[in-house]
Amino acid sequence: MATSKIDDPRVIEFDVRTDEMLINMGPQHPSTHGVLRLVLRTDGEVVSDVEPHLGYLHRCAEKIGENLTARQWIPYTDRMDYLAAMNMNLGWSLVIEKLLEYDLPERGRHLRVIISEMGRIASHLVAMGTYGLDLGSFTPFLYGFREREKILNLFEEACGARLTYSYLTPGGATADLPVGWTDKCRQFLNQFKEVIPELHTLLTTNSIFVSRTAGIGVMSAKMAVDYGCTGPVLRGSGVYHDLRFHGEERYTEMYEGYVFDVICADPETGKYPESNYEFHGDSLDYPEIPRQAILGDCWHRFYVRMLEVVQSVRLIEQAIEKYEATSGDWGTPIKLVQKLPAKEAYMETEAPRGQMGFYVVGNGDSIPWRVRARSSSFCNLSVTAPLCQGILLADIPAIVGSLDVVMGEIDR
Amino acid sequence: MSEIPLVSELRAKFGEGIIDVNLEAIDEWVELNPSVLVEVCQFLKEAEGFRFDMCNSITVVDYLETDPKKAAKVDWEPHLEVVYHLSSIATKLTLVLKVKIPRWKNGVEGELPTVPSVAGVWATADWHEREAYDLSGVNFLGHPHLKRILCPDDWEGHPLRKDYEMPLEYHGIRGR
Amino acid sequence: MADFINNIFGIGDSWVGYLIAALIAAVLILHVVAVGALLFIWMERKISGRIQDRLGPTRVGGKYGWLQTLADGIKLIAKEDITPDLADRFLFKIAPYVGLAASYAAFIALPFADGVVAQHVNTAVFFVLAVLGLEVFSVILAGYASGSKWSLFGAMREAAQVVSYEVPLGMCVVVPVMICGTMNLTTIGNMQAGLFTNWLVFNDPFTFLTAIIYFTCATAGVNRAPFDLAEAESELVAGFHTEYSGLRWSLFFMAEYSSMFVVSALASILFFGGSHGPIPVGQWIGETIGGTWGLNISRIIGVGNLLLKGLIGVTVMMWIRWTFPRLRIDQVMTMCLKYCVPLAALGFIGATTWQYLDLPTANSLVGNPRYEKHEMWTEGVEVTPAADASPASGIPDPEPHQEDKTANADSVTVKTLPVSVVKGGER
């Protein structure tokens, strides 16, 4: 590795003491979620220092965005967080709508809620599964993917793609939901609700899982905010902040009239909101918080994701009803070559991994002057180095996995 | 948005440091003199009633029209804009700060323009500034370890500059 | 068997017979190891598939994909055998063989049924444990010789883990040895003949505890999940076999699966009745038919029993693997030192006290006398009245070993009838 032009006092020295070892974890490593590279300085099993190296998946998305029209860039947003591409589409669509000051018809709003919450479930299922995988449990991964496949089938029916959808566009969506889709979606939700306790049994309450995650990688609320952590990582530290509640009006109005909880422990009592959601006449109880768990540790981050899935189910059920009750237009996608005003707009949405922000600067042309994606995983990952000091080697997958990063989004 | 008391308070406290305020923009922004940036940020983070405790993003926009025909029409001189998007979890406010700097330090091509680093105010600014340095070529003074983050360490040039040209070859890989 | 072969050739007490007998035994055990590994890998795939709500292999070899492992084996043999530049070539190359040899050697003293054993060893328990412990050398060699830091990590973990788990493992094994008063696995197995209440696991609550601890420690000792830290793929890439490919890599797998079987079979011999089924059907058939044929039929049934019990043990290990996450290294060591060792000690002390105080055992409660024919079919020994009553049921006459026989008989009589045994039989 060549030296950088700027003198770096923290450049890792290669003449380490004899009892320390410098290990390269990644970019080809099973548990670094893609192509993250961590340079570890270890003393036996104890890791004293971690230095993340990024950029192995850098595809110059922002530079490409300066050469394409707003709608042409949609597929590039798909490839950022490829596990929740629908939510990426939504973020970009909203910021362009904000720039164009375009208001979506009501039916389109409900459609977006259904789709983006489905995307959230699909993404959290992968997060759950891969976290199990990080901790050496293979089975939950396949259970998660089994359910995810069903969501992907529904997405495929709606837009024809299973991974990179390009479905939600500025101005609405490329098409309305097909006839009968909502019934299939309901069917899926009904059987999915029965699976959730199964997933809890496999991981959340499993005692080995608890001993591997509880009390590991504890991040205080102050630290989480300071490092710009968002989404489940922030809420896992007990910070009550969810853009679906507290975001910009343009985004929160999408969720107007919906009833759901922000999954976040009260920092004082350490209690999560009561599960007041019912199915089959029974309350869908949340599992107990284990004794060893400390607010802000890996277990809480995982738990927040698992509970958010329930809230998403709740949202989708409401959204389907509202969607079916409204008729009319679901929105008109903007023209492929749409002139953008010489203004700038920034907007963040609550993507599954945190707050995904897009910044667009127009110059009167159809091609934006500058495009910027504020990646949630990027900020969430920046907390790795301070979190991973003086821990055991086996805790690194546990911590990085609990941050649930997607390298496509980090490197863009 | 209750930006108005914020702006008046900023003006009262920093006076000349506040160059411009635009409340008509989609996202209201305040333009600052780079020299007061860190103090303003520190103030905004700690001031009661604002508490901008989160730095969402740091973006550098390069204003340079490379096409001479279009360049004749634009109403700005070539410059860089460093845009800070701030928000507050405590008060749910948002704010955009802007700092305008020349494209090159002292007009010498290749010398990176400087902006004081806010990594000491928000820890998240660390990586954002590294990314801005890497892709847009802004030297953040006082940054703990400013080095490339997305591009390889020995990469040349800053890709998000408008006049950037892809190198012909990089370690034997054809570039263009 | 050597005598039998020598008798066929009519060459008296010759080394030829011993050589041929050893070869036959070696080949038979090799088949258990190799075919067993094929079966276990296929089983692992099928079981994990079913646990994970999928099918597992379905194509190769018909409906159930039972030839999948063979196909993979052919693929592995055909693959390039890569040695990294940084590796210590000699050690790197022999490491897999050391591992396979260790788990293979353990089979030598493992009685598949009464008398069906490659070599009678009076201290078979000791031998099996010691030889299985040698497997750790292959892992350390592989990790050290690979020239990779991840491999080294795996090797160090394995060394720490296996060495510490041998302590509770040894303490658990002492319990059946103490109750039976012998280290001969055949004898221990035979002492559990009869109804399943005779099994040592049901002897008293402490043996039950010891059996559970034994199985836990054995799982850890052969590096199966949740103790598979040496090859934790999410942390150490693949641990000690990161740099291996092709056939050498598959030898590690064979070693792992065969040692899994060894510890399961050992568990069944020590605690779960060995080659005796829950209901003494094989014994009954053998006695009904009588003679050599009866003996052989009951032996075949015994071998089936033991293989089945071993398979059940392996299946449980697979079930555990596909259900639980992996422990962390410090948790593994904590579990060993803070829980397994004290509990094993408790089991040992408890079982000893139970025997000493002569408290009721499961077989005494159901009024089923134990150990009545425990030496019946042991080679070269004619001690018990039952064996005397049917001399034909002995092994082909071991004439050449006259002196050994008497010496053996004496020693066995003394050794295998300690106070507790006699009492157990009387009750």
Side-chain angles (χ1 to χ4, degrees):
Chain A
M1 199 167 56
T3 50
S4 79
K5 285 177 191 166
I6 308 237
D7 280 339
D8 180 11
R10 278 185 55 187
V11 148
I12 288 167
E13 299 153 18
F14 280 84
D15 51 340
V16 288
R17 296 212 318 272
T18 47
D19 57 348
E20 279 197 343
M21 189 150 73
L22 206 64
I23 304 191
N24 196 20
M25 194 172 183
Q28 291 90 17
H29 188 277
S31 74
T32 50
H33 290 239
V35 287
L36 172 63
R37 174 175 164 225
L38 300 167
V39 176
L40 319 175
R41 191 195 281 272
T42 62
D43 181 4
E45 285 271 342
V46 182
V47 178
S48 56
D49 202 9
V50 175
E51 171 104 11
H53 290 247
L54 325 174
Y56 291 90
L57 205 57
H58 183 47
R59 291 152 300 178
C60 328
E62 292 177 10
K63 188 77 179 171
I64 292 169
E66 291 175 10
N67 296 290
L68 295 176
T69 65
R71 262 192 78 180
Q72 281 174 332
W73 202 53
I74 286 264
Y76 290 89
T77 63
D78 281 332
R79 282 151 185 82
M80 285 187 186
D81 186 349
Y82 39 75
L83 294 178
M86 285 292 190
N87 302 65
M88 297 290 114
N89 294 166
L90 177 70
W92 178 243
S93 306
L94 281 169
V95 78
I96 293 296
E97 284 164 20
K98 184 177 176 182
L99 189 69
L100 296 171
E101 289 170 24
Y102 171 91
D103 283 316
L104 198 66
E106 199 190 344
R107 193 176 161 91
R109 264 180 35 200
H110 299 316
L111 187 152
R112 282 187 175 181
V113 172
I114 299 176
I115 292 296
S116 65
E117 293 304 319
M118 288 285 269
R120 190 183 311 277
I121 295 178
S123 164
H124 281 346
L125 283 175
V126 179
M128 187 270 312
T130 51
Y131 196 41
L133 211 55
D134 284 345
L135 299 177
S137 176
F138 198 77
T139 303
F141 177 71
L142 286 159
Y143 278 36
F145 261 73
R146 181 187 65 196
E147 301 306 315
R148 185 181 150 91
E149 282 299 301
K150 292 170 190 162
I151 299 178
L152 297 191
N153 286 340
L154 287 170
F155 280 169
E156 188 180 12
E157 220 169 292
C159 69
R162 292 177 70 86
L163 186 70
T164 50
Y165 314 107
S166 305
Y167 179 51
L168 305 179
T169 59
T174 49
D176 199 358
L177 293 175
V179 179
W181 193 91
T182 47
D183 292 331
K184 284 181 191 165
C185 187
R186 263 204 204 97
Q187 223 171 25
F188 161 74
L189 292 177
N190 283 336
Q191 67 88 23
F192 177 63
K193 280 185 282 195
E194 289 175 33
V195 176
I196 296 173
E198 214 173 86
L199 301 178
H200 278 309
T201 321
L202 267 175
L203 286 181
T204 321
T205 53
N206 180 309
S207 71
I208 296 181
F209 178 82
V210 170
S211 67
R212 282 296 306 274
T213 56
I216 304 298
V218 182
M219 181 160 59
S220 68
K222 191 170 173 299
M223 183 177 172
V225 174
D226 201 28
Y227 277 89
C229 297
T230 46
V233 180
L234 181 70
R235 288 191 286 276
S237 290
V239 180
Y240 186 76
H241 186 71
D242 187 327
L243 285 186
R244 287 175 291 175
F245 264 106
H246 310 116
E248 270 178 57
E249 212 186 330
R250 190 169 274 279
Y251 183 52
T252 49
E253 74 177 10
M254 222 173 92
Y255 289 91
E256 241 171 46
Y258 286 90
V259 184
F260 67 104
D261 296 327
V262 175
I263 300 298
C264 171
D266 188 336
E268 274 160 29
T269 58
K271 290 231 167 64
Y272 281 84
E274 291 285 309
S275 166
N276 40 21
Y277 175 67
E278 290 188 356
F279 80 100
H280 293 312
D282 297 322
S283 166
L284 191 64
D285 282 333
Y286 299 149
E288 296 262 312
I289 302 173
R291 199 164 31 83
Q292 307 97 304
I294 305 167
L295 190 60
D297 63 4
C298 295
W299 189 86
H300 275 273
R301 291 194 274 277
F302 176 82
Y303 190 58
V304 164
R305 278 190 199 101
M306 293 300 288
L307 302 196
E308 269 185 15
V309 167
V310 178
Q311 296 303 321
S312 290
V313 170
R314 214 172 145 189
L315 275 166
I316 298 167
E317 284 187 338
Q318 298 170 41
I320 289 177
E321 268 171 35
K322 287 174 199 267
Y323 172 81
E324 283 176 343
T326 51
S327 56
D329 197 10
W330 73 93
T332 335
I334 59 165
K335 285 179 290 190
L336 199 57
V337 181
Q338 166 85 38
K339 289 252 186 292
L340 300 176
K343 291 176 182 171
E344 51 200 73
Y346 178 76
M347 177 127 178
E348 290 198 345
T349 54
E350 186 73 29
R353 286 176 176 73
Q355 297 174 12
M356 185 69 201
F358 285 99
Y359 177 53
V360 57
V361 181
N363 68 339
D365 207 350
S366 57
I367 291 168
W369 182 255
R370 174 78 162 95
V371 170
R372 157 106 171 121
R374 184 262 185 211
S375 156
S376 45
S377 296
F378 183 80
C379 299
N380 289 352
L381 185 70
S382 70
V383 85
T384 331
L387 272 191
C388 295
Q389 277 168 356
I391 55 161
L392 288 173
L393 185 68
D395 289 336
I396 287 187
I399 290 174
V400 175
S402 77
L403 298 174
D404 186 25
V405 291
V406 166
M407 290 314 289
E409 190 190 340
I410 291 170
D411 293 342
R412 287 156 293 176
Chain B
M1 288 278 163
S2 56
E3 250 27 296
I4 312 302
L6 186 145
V7 169
S8 51
E9 200 158 326
L10 277 182
R11 276 198 200 283
K13 203 157 167 44
F14 296 99
E16 288 301 298
I18 311 298
I19 295 174
D20 195 6
V21 173
N22 188 342
L23 297 177
E24 269 77 61
I26 298 177
D27 297 312
E28 298 88 341
W29 52 262
V30 176
E31 195 195 325
L32 301 174
N33 193 328
S35 59
V36 295
L37 178 68
V38 177
E39 290 96 85
V40 170
C41 288
Q42 197 71 45
F43 168 76
L44 285 173
K45 189 188 178 189
E46 283 160 10
E48 208 54 51
F50 308 128
R51 288 206 172 278
F52 286 100
D53 44 18
M54 189 179 273
C55 175
N56 294 65
S57 136
I58 295 174
T59 315
V60 179
V61 188
D62 184 8
Y63 286 94
L64 171 76
E65 186 56 76
T66 45
D67 186 352
K69 271 187 199 166
K70 286 183 187 165
K73 290 183 202 160
V74 294
D75 53 352
W76 34 253
E77 289 292 306
H79 66 279
L80 292 182
E81 247 179 45
V82 188
V83 187
Y84 298 81
H85 289 99
L86 312 180
S87 70
S88 164
I89 285 171
T91 61
K92 314 295 174 201
L93 296 175
T94 56
L95 178 68
V96 181
L97 299 182
K98 282 190 179 185
V99 173
K100 282 187 185 161
I101 49 172
R103 293 193 75 246
W104 301 109
K105 191 181 182 184
N106 307 326
V108 185
E109 188 137 335
E111 284 213 14
L112 299 183
T114 57
V115 170
S117 166
V118 292
V121 184
W122 299 284
T124 178
D126 181 338
W127 278 27
H128 282 305
E129 284 178 354
R130 272 176 71 184
E131 192 192 339
Y133 157 73
D134 183 4
L135 298 180
S136 302
V138 174
N139 190 0
F140 290 90
L141 288 179
H143 188 279
H145 55 294
L146 195 64
K147 63 173 186 179
R148 289 186 180 271
I149 187 164
L150 292 181
C151 294
D153 281 358
D154 57 350
W155 193 259
E156 280 180 18
H158 301 279
L160 283 179
R161 292 286 184 111
K162 290 282 176 186
D163 55 355
Y164 172 78
E165 283 194 357
M166 183 83 176
L168 282 172
E169 119 3 87
Y170 173 74
H171 288 295
I173 305 161
R174 198 170 144 259
R176 219 161 3 118
Chain C
M1 191 190 270
D3 308 320
F4 176 68
I5 291 162
N6 280 339
N7 279 344
I8 289 175
F9 292 119
I11 45 177
D13 186 15
S14 164
W15 56 271
V16 179
Y18 287 97
L19 187 69
I20 293 173
L23 277 177
I24 289 173
V27 168
L28 280 175
I29 293 173
L30 190 65
H31 276 81
V32 173
V33 173
V35 179
L38 286 187
L39 173 74
F40 292 145
I41 295 173
W42 173 80
M43 254 173 70
E44 175 113 56
R45 291 176 161 197
K46 273 311 218 193
I47 289 172
S48 69
R50 293 299 166 160
I51 286 175
Q52 292 163 355
D53 215 355
R54 57 189 175 84
L55 291 172
T58 51
R59 298 287 172 88
V60 188
K63 199 178 166 192
Y64 299 104
W66 58 277
L67 276 179
Q68 183 69 47
T69 333
L70 192 67
D72 281 349
I74 293 168
K75 181 204 76 174
L76 283 169
I77 290 169
K79 273 176 98 171
E80 189 187 351
D81 183 19
I82 300 166
T83 312
D85 279 348
L86 283 175
D88 183 328
R89 289 187 166 263
F90 176 68
L91 295 181
F92 184 82
K93 290 204 163 143
I94 65 160
Y97 302 123
V98 172
L100 191 64
S103 57
Y104 175 70
F107 279 94
I108 291 175
L110 195 75
F112 287 89
D114 181 17
V116 185
V117 54
Q119 179 61 48
H120 281 288
V121 183
N122 272 338
T123 54
V125 178
F126 184 63
F127 178 81
V128 171
L129 278 188
V131 165
L132 265 188
L134 287 179
E135 213 194 332
V136 72
F137 281 115
S138 86
V139 174
I140 294 175
L141 278 184
Y144 168 74
S146 287
S148 155
K149 288 168 182 173
W150 295 116
S151 302
L152 192 63
F153 257 116
M156 287 298 113
R157 282 183 175 189
E158 164 103 3
Q161 179 188 334
V162 172
V163 169
S164 10
Y165 270 93
E166 295 219 329
V167 176
L169 195 66
M171 286 166 100
C172 292
V173 168
V174 166
V175 170
V177 169
M178 181 269 301
I179 292 176
C180 300
T182 175
M183 285 178 103
N184 189 333
L185 282 174
T186 313
T187 316
I188 293 176
N190 282 345
M191 281 187 168
Q192 302 173 60
L195 214 56
F196 66 91
T197 45
N198 272 346
W199 293 3
L200 287 176
V201 64
F202 301 121
N203 192 57
D204 58 68
F206 293 102
T207 48
F208 191 77
L209 172 81
T210 313
I212 293 171
I213 304 280
Y214 170 83
F215 198 74
T216 313
C217 296
T219 313
V222 297
N223 275 308
R224 286 292 290 186
F227 306 102
D228 56 345
L229 295 164
E231 47 199 280
E233 84 278 346
S234 63
E235 297 146 29
L236 304 185
V237 192
F240 63 87
H241 58 67
T242 306
E243 304 291 343
Y244 280 88
S245 63
L247 191 61
R248 281 177 216 285
W249 179 78
S250 63
L251 288 182
F252 278 121
F253 256 75
M254 273 167 76
E256 179 185 333
Y257 282 98
S258 59
S259 49
M260 259 165 83
F261 180 77
V262 171
V263 292
S264 301
L266 195 60
S268 64
I269 293 170
L270 292 177
F271 295 102
F272 298 95
S275 55
H276 303 282
I279 300 160
V281 178
Q283 202 180 337
W284 178 77
I285 292 173
E287 278 169 14
T288 314
I289 296 174
T292 320
W293 276 105
L295 175 66
N296 287 339
I297 286 171
S298 72
R299 273 178 180 173
I300 289 167
I301 293 173
V303 170
N305 270 332
L306 188 89
L307 290 179
L308 191 67
K309 285 175 189 174
L311 268 183
I312 290 171
V314 171
T315 311
V316 171
M317 284 186 187
M318 289 175 182
W319 180 19
I320 292 171
R321 172 174 176 188
W322 295 106
T323 310
F324 287 126
R326 186 180 297 118
L327 286 162
R328 207 170 53 207
I329 182 73
D330 61 322
Q331 288 162 349
V332 168
M333 303 306 280
T334 311
M335 183 156 166
C336 172
L337 300 173
K338 281 195 184 164
Y339 300 102
C340 286
V341 170
L343 281 176
L346 179 75
F348 174 63
I349 294 168
T352 317
T353 320
W354 202 277
Q355 291 295 313
Y356 180 73
L357 295 179
D358 202 10
L359 294 169
T361 58
N363 58 324
S364 71
L365 287 178
V366 296
N368 178 22
R370 177 194 262 181
Y371 313 139
E372 44 179 344
K373 294 169 187 166
H374 62 278
E375 291 294 345
M376 185 170 73
W377 293 316
T378 308
E379 186 178 16
V381 181
E382 289 169 15
V383 188
T384 52
D388 278 336
S390 54
S393 68
I395 278 291
D397 193 21
E399 271 308 318
H401 284 297
Q402 202 57 51
E403 291 165 11
D404 291 354
K405 193 187 82 178
T406 43
N408 252 350
D410 286 342
S411 64
V412 168
T413 321
V414 176
K415 259 199 312 191
T416 55
L417 296 174
V419 180
S420 63
V421 172
V422 174
K423 276 182 182 168
E426 281 166 356
R427 252 186 278 134

